[in-house]
Amino acid sequence: MTDAQQHDHVVLGTIGAVYGIKGWLRINAYTENQEGIFDYTPWLIGHNGDWHKIEVSQWRWHNNGLVAKFAEIDDREAAQQFTGKEIAVVASELPELTDDEFYWRDLIGLRVVNTENYDMGTVNHLLPTVANDVLVVNANRNDAFGKRERLIPFIQSQYIVKVDQEAGVITVDWPADF
């Protein structure tokens, strides 16, 4: 892969343990609908910038989880080399979003300020919950309230006032001392 391609990918899941003796692997999907991970092809499999294209030849549900078989992988030993690897796709393969939708990857690293213009920190990652996604914000080193981390529900109609990706800022209606 070219250097540009190595940096223009999105991780959609990971590969778990080998399943059976014919080269099947367990798949841990990060997509909203688990089986949606199979809508993307080809997959890039790798870790730490070392990515290789691979085709999924078959997949199915098994015990509330997913298993998949890769083309040209026909035994347990050959499949073993993929366990623990990440599954990614080229970013341009992702669907376009509406103005009020965001990929998590686009929110990570944005600065978070509240409506009183208090700098609450930077988005480290997001947590999925049953009710809604949650921004995990690393507070600034010298936070006036002694916070190290803030958890802010990502509810656009209630707590998220504005996401300005160009400016790199998310404005929230959230108390600074919470």
Side-chain angles (χ1 to χ4, degrees):
M1 299 185 81
T2 66
D3 191 53
Q5 287 174 315
Q6 288 179 347
H7 298 295
D8 190 29
H9 68 275
V10 178
V11 175
L12 298 180
T14 59
I15 299 175
V18 175
Y19 169 75
I21 61 171
K22 295 186 178 182
W24 288 75
L25 291 149
R26 296 187 188 280
I27 303 298
N28 305 308
Y30 300 157
T31 52
E32 186 173 359
N33 298 314
Q34 286 189 45
E35 68 272 7
I37 196 168
F38 298 106
D39 293 341
Y40 302 96
T41 185
W43 281 0
L44 303 175
I45 303 297
H47 185 67
N48 291 333
D50 184 24
W51 299 97
H52 303 280
K53 287 184 183 180
I54 196 150
E55 293 290 333
V56 175
S57 61
Q58 300 176 59
W59 70 271
R60 67 177 183 238
W61 284 98
H62 179 73
N63 291 339
N64 295 325
L66 296 169
V67 293
K69 184 167 181 338
F70 299 149
E72 302 181 23
I73 303 297
D74 294 318
D75 61 63
R76 185 177 186 85
E77 291 74 32
Q80 188 69 38
Q81 68 180 315
F82 297 104
T83 61
K85 303 282 185 180
E86 293 177 314
I87 302 165
V89 296
V90 175
S92 61
E93 295 292 317
L94 297 174
E96 291 291 321
L97 299 176
T98 63
D99 288 339
D100 64 339
E101 294 180 315
F102 307 95
Y103 287 113
W104 283 12
R105 71 184 185 107
D106 297 330
L107 301 176
I108 295 170
L110 296 184
R111 196 166 51 90
V112 178
V113 297
N114 70 5
T115 52
E116 286 81 40
N117 207 30
Y118 183 82
D119 187 343
M120 301 182 79
T122 305
V123 177
N124 179 275
H125 63 282
L126 285 93
L127 292 173
T129 67
V130 174
N132 52 267
D133 297 331
V134 175
L135 292 173
V136 178
V137 178
N138 287 347
N140 297 314
R141 242 176 72 178
N142 296 321
D143 187 81
F145 298 96
K147 302 288 183 188
R148 290 186 178 178
E149 183 178 83
R150 290 182 170 85
L151 303 176
I152 303 172
F154 194 83
I155 303 174
Q156 289 176 283
S157 60
Q158 191 170 359
Y159 303 116
I160 305 300
V161 176
K162 181 179 179 182
V163 176
D164 186 343
Q165 288 181 283
E166 286 185 26
V169 176
I170 300 174
T171 304
V172 297
D173 186 5
W174 195 256
D177 60 347
F178 192 76

